[in-house]
Amino acid sequence: MSDGAMDKMKGKGKEAVGKLTGDRRKEAEGKADQAKGGAKDVAGGIGDRAKGVKDSLRRDDDK
């Protein structure tokens, strides 16, 4: 499981606990954790795509 997915899951749990207990701060922390997880997923995807472009350019040079 990716770091982003872990943050999203942790955030959902915090948000749920916050809603159940009426703790608005905990609920907000959960939403923030979910957003952080989404950002990590996007950043990881960009890094993967950049590596793919680099690899494809390297393969073209080998021909």
Side-chain angles (χ1 to χ4, degrees):
M1 184 175 281
S2 71
D3 285 345
M6 289 294 290
D7 284 336
K8 287 180 187 178
M9 190 167 57
K10 179 176 72 171
K12 285 183 186 280
K14 277 186 183 179
E15 183 181 4
V17 168
K19 282 182 179 179
L20 286 171
T21 61
D23 185 344
R24 294 166 77 185
R25 183 174 179 185
K26 183 69 73 180
E27 187 177 345
E29 285 177 14
K31 288 180 182 182
D33 285 345
Q34 290 177 64
K36 181 172 70 171
K40 283 182 180 179
D41 285 344
V42 168
I46 290 170
D48 290 344
R49 278 185 246 133
K51 183 181 180 320
V53 168
K54 178 181 155 191
D55 290 346
S56 71
L57 291 173
R58 187 172 290 157
R59 277 185 249 130
D60 288 344
D61 289 341
D62 293 342
K63 291 181 182 179

